[in-house]
């Protein structure tokens, strides 16, 4: 067992538990906003109602914020402390997949490879760079499937497996809302129907299990409803001191209406073809092996609902798992990270193939290795040419100066990389060099050892190639971070700020959410009543955080010093003199008074 767990732990430490905790800085939008919600949880000592910028933030389930706030309480408010809980949840997910793969395929090796595939999946790695709860949902969903499968092998389904499943569903609800219970229940319901075992639900403690679910899930919802009741007269739209309470907003608007009428929320949505392609891209190259397993499996018996053997039932469960997640999330406003809960079964399928090929090398392994080598060689040549041809940017150059006109809204989070120009590639010479070396060495060795039928060594080099690529991608994100974080600007004005100074953000809070996090203070929002703070701003206890141009003009000509965060191309008309305190990442800080302590740059 140790020979499998130690490599998993070591690779996790490299990718998730070291440099990734401290770099890049927290990013604007959801990343820093969620960290700020956890920081304010400590300040207010309110672990029931989330607050951001002093305003009730009712749209999210609490588990992620509880975890980050606990980390802040133990270690202090730091970037790495904000990211540590998500890294630990990811480690738990990899260990669960190892255990589930071992149980499904009766093979430690299959479980080990499944864990490695998921650990090096770009989707899991990429979306643990941002403080989002979806990887935690993957953990509870995978653990729920573990308890379910274990119950199927018991002559009398045990109470422990029933409680384990239902508590995982409850934790999923506390992580992501109702979807945390709906998806696992749909998976087992369809599986039991297809295998003609629906009676299993009646034998699987149908009263005690749900009671366990309610004991875990209900208390927070009840307290949140009591502390956030409806106020005033509720109309179709909220108005100051006239708002629906938590239950209506959280369940009706943020879950049912968001799913069945996503256009009413003005969310961007990933096109369906791209959404399904991300299922393969987010766990490449391991998705190739998963597809081979699915293509080779005989599905006739499954569709006829005939009696299935153990291996057929495993395949049925994994396919249903993938299908339920992908179809369920194909209908609402699709975000790319909604694919993540479908990656664990893809990893399990790939792990099964890799373990089987290690014992009995298959011609398909050589074919895949050859295809990867050819594609990788072309990519390595292109990467090398970019690294050689495009000269490094002069020291101190802001990378946003060589980007195309900044698009501040993307359907894909990593769409910010599409803002790159050819000249900007000079800033990415190190990531490009790492990518080139990894592709040339790793894929060549993988091909060599596959043809020598030393499959374990071939797999090791393939894992190494993907690991090096993830490191290069992380480094590229760090290089690009000034364009999508306001940390540099926060550090620029922090020495200047006194307690009576006013910080103003031009637009919605999310656009500069890292600024108030690093300054550890509330901000005023210029024409920014929207986004996640919109609904909470109508409660009577909401601070007067929203101002218009007239109010800004009064502040600008008043006695107090004002710092204005604004995109370079969107600075408002200001009365009187203005001073540039700092510029970075296509954004700037303006003030009505000059620098006093040398922060200007």
């Amino acid at each position: 067992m140790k020979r499998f767990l130690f490599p998993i732990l070591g690779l996790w430490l490299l990718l998730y538990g070291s440099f990734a905790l401290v770099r890049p800085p927290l990013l604007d939008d959801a990343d820093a906003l969620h960290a700020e919600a956890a920081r304010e949880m400590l300040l207010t000592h309110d672990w029931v109602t989330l607050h951001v910028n002093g305003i009730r933030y009712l749209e999210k389930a609490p588990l992620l914020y509880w975890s980050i706030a606990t980390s802040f309480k133990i270690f202090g408010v730091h970037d790495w402390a904000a990211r540590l809980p998500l890294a630990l949840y990811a480690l738990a997910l990899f260990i669960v997949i190892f255990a589930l793969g071992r149980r499904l395929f009766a093979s430690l090796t299959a479980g080990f490879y499944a864990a490695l595939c998921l650990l090096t999946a770009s989707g899991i790695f990429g979306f643990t760079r941002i403080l989002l709860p979806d990887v935690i949902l993957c953990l509870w969903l995978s653990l729920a499937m573990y308890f379910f499968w274990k119950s199927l092998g018991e002559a009398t389904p045990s109470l422990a497996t029933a409680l384990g499943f239902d508590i995982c569903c409850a934790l999923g609800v506390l992580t992501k809302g109702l979807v945390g219970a709906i998806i696992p229940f749909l998976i087992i319901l369809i599986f039991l129907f297809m295998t003609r075992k629906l009676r299993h639900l009646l034998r699987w403690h149908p009263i005690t299990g749900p009671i366990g679910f309610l004991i875990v899930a209900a208390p927070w919802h009840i307290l949140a409803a009591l502390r956030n009741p409806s106020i005033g007269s509720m109309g179709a739209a909220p108005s100051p001191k006239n708002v629906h309470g938590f239950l209506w907003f959280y369940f009706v608007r943020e879950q049912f209406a968001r799913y069945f009428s996503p256009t009413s929320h003005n969310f961007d949505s990933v096109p369906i073809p791209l959404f399904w392609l991300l299922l393969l891209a987010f766990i490449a190259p391991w998705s190739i092996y998963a597809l081979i397993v699915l293509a080779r499996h005989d599905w006739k018996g499954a569709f006829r609902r005939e009696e299935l053997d153990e291996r057929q039932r495993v395949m049925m469960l994994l396919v249903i798992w993938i299908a339920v997640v992908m179809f369920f999330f194909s209908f609402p406003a699709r975000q790319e990270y909604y694919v993540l809960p479908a990656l664990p079964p893809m990893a399990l399928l790939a792990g099964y193939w890799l373990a089987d090929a290690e014992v009995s090398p298959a011609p398909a392994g050589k074919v895949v290795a050859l295809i990867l080598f050819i594609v990788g060689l072309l990519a390595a040549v292109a990467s090398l040419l970019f690294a050689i041809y495009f000269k490094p940017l002069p020291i101190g150059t802001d990378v946003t100066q060589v980007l195309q006109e900044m698009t501040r809204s993307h359907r894909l989070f990593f769409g910010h990389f599409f803002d790159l120009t050819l000249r900007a590639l000079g800033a990415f010479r190190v990531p490009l060099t790492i990518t080139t070396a990894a592709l040339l060495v790793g894929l060549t060795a993988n091909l060599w050892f596959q043809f020598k039928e030393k499959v374990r060594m071939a797999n090791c080099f393939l894992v190494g190639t993907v690991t090096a690529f993830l490191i290069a991608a992380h480094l590229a994100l760090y290089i690009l971070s000034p364009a999508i974080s306001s940390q540099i600007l926060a550090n620029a004005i922090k020495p200047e700020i006194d307690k009576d100074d006013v910080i103003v953000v031009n637009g919605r809070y999310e656009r500069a959410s890292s600024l108030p996090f690093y300054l550890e203070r509330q901000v005023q929002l210029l024409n920014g009543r929207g986004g996640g703070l919109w609904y909470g701003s109508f409660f009577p206890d909401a601070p007067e955080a929203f101002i218009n141009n007239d109010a800004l003009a009064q502040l600008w000509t008043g006695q107090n010093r004002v710092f204005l965060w604004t995109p370079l191309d969107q600075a408002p008309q200001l009365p009187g003199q203005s001073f540039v305190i700092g510029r970075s990442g296509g954004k700037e800080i303006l003030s009505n008074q000059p620098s006093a302590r040398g922060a200007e740059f």
Side-chain angles (χ1 to χ4, degrees), residues 251-441:
F251 287 109
V252 177
R253 187 181 189 279
E254 286 302 308
Q255 300 197 44
F256 290 107
R258 185 169 183 167
Y259 186 85
F260 293 106
S261 183
T263 54
S264 65
H265 285 59
N266 297 317
F267 291 126
D268 285 331
S269 188
V270 178
I272 286 183
L274 178 58
F275 183 71
W276 282 78
L277 282 174
L278 289 175
L279 174 65
L280 306 180
F282 278 170
I283 196 168
W286 316 116
S287 51
I288 299 173
Y289 303 114
L291 292 177
I292 293 173
V293 172
L294 295 177
R296 290 186 170 185
H297 187 70
D298 183 6
W299 296 100
K300 294 179 182 177
F303 290 117
R304 294 171 183 167
R305 296 182 65 202
E306 296 175 353
E307 189 68 28
L308 303 178
D309 61 27
E310 183 80 0
R311 188 53 44 80
Q312 289 174 320
R313 289 192 294 125
V314 169
M315 294 298 161
M316 173 71 73
L317 177 67
L318 297 179
V319 167
I320 291 172
W321 183 346
I322 296 168
V324 166
V325 171
M326 295 302 295
F327 279 107
F328 184 88
F329 285 120
S330 289
F331 295 100
R334 293 169 298 279
Q335 303 296 309
E336 64 268 42
Y337 45 84
Y338 289 176
V339 171
L340 265 57
L343 298 185
M346 292 289 288
L348 288 163
L349 289 168
Y352 166 67
W353 193 92
L354 291 169
D356 189 62
E358 190 174 291
V359 176
S360 304
K366 300 181 178 65
V367 174
V368 172
L370 181 59
I371 293 172
L372 289 175
F373 174 76
I374 294 171
V375 174
L377 182 62
L378 295 174
V381 170
S383 180
L384 182 62
L385 289 176
F386 286 143
I388 294 174
Y389 182 77
F390 297 104
K391 303 302 180 186
L393 300 180
I395 295 175
T397 301
D398 186 339
V399 69
T400 56
Q401 295 176 9
V402 290
L403 298 179
Q404 62 183 331
E405 185 176 348
M406 283 291 292
T407 302
R408 293 183 177 83
S409 177
H410 289 279
R411 288 190 171 185
L412 294 174
F413 172 80
F414 294 106
H416 289 284
F417 282 102
F418 294 112
D419 292 327
L420 295 176
T421 61
L422 291 178
R423 186 181 169 212
L425 291 176
F428 296 86
R429 294 187 89 192
V430 174
L432 289 170
T433 302
I434 293 173
T435 300
T436 300
L439 292 172
L440 289 176
V441 175

Side-chain angles (χ1 to χ4, degrees), residues 540-570:
D541 60 352
E544 296 294 332
F546 302 95
I547 61 174
N548 56 24
N549 292 78
D550 292 337
L552 175 62
Q554 290 182 1
L555 287 172
W556 204 261
T557 55
Q559 295 297 316
N560 293 336
R561 188 170 188 190
V562 179
F563 293 90
L564 172 65
W565 177 101
T566 181
L568 287 173
D569 58 348
Q570 296 178 21

Side-chain angles (χ1 to χ4, degrees), residues 43 88 97 166 193 207-208 230 236 245 253 265 280 347 431 436 448 489 498-499 507 517:
L43 288 178
L88 294 175
I97 290 302
D166 285 291
F193 172 78
I207 296 175
T208 312
S230 298
R253 187 181 189 279
H265 285 59
L280 306 180
T436 300
W448 172 267
L489 294 176
D498 293 324
K499 64 178 182 178
F517 174 79

Side-chain angles (χ1 to χ4, degrees), residues 438-518:
L439 292 172
L440 289 176
V441 175
L443 295 182
T444 301
N446 176 57
L447 180 66
W448 172 267
F449 285 113
Q450 280 285 356
F451 275 88
K452 290 291 184 179
E453 297 196 349
K454 296 180 179 180
V455 177
R456 181 175 296 180
M457 284 298 297
N459 293 338
C460 287
F461 274 97
L462 191 54
V463 169
T465 302
V466 180
T467 300
F469 175 78
L470 295 179
I471 292 172
H474 182 87
L475 181 56
L477 179 63
Y478 174 64
I479 294 169
L480 190 62
S481 64
I484 49 180
S485 175
S486 300
Q487 183 220 30
I488 293 175
L489 294 176
N491 290 341
I493 65 174
K494 201 165 187 176
E496 295 271 310
I497 294 177
D498 293 324
K499 64 178 182 178
D500 294 327
D501 294 343
V502 180
I503 315 297
V504 180
V505 168
N506 183 12
R508 294 183 178 183
Y509 185 91
E510 289 85 348
R511 299 181 74 186
S513 58
S514 62
L515 184 77
F517 174 79
Y518 285 110

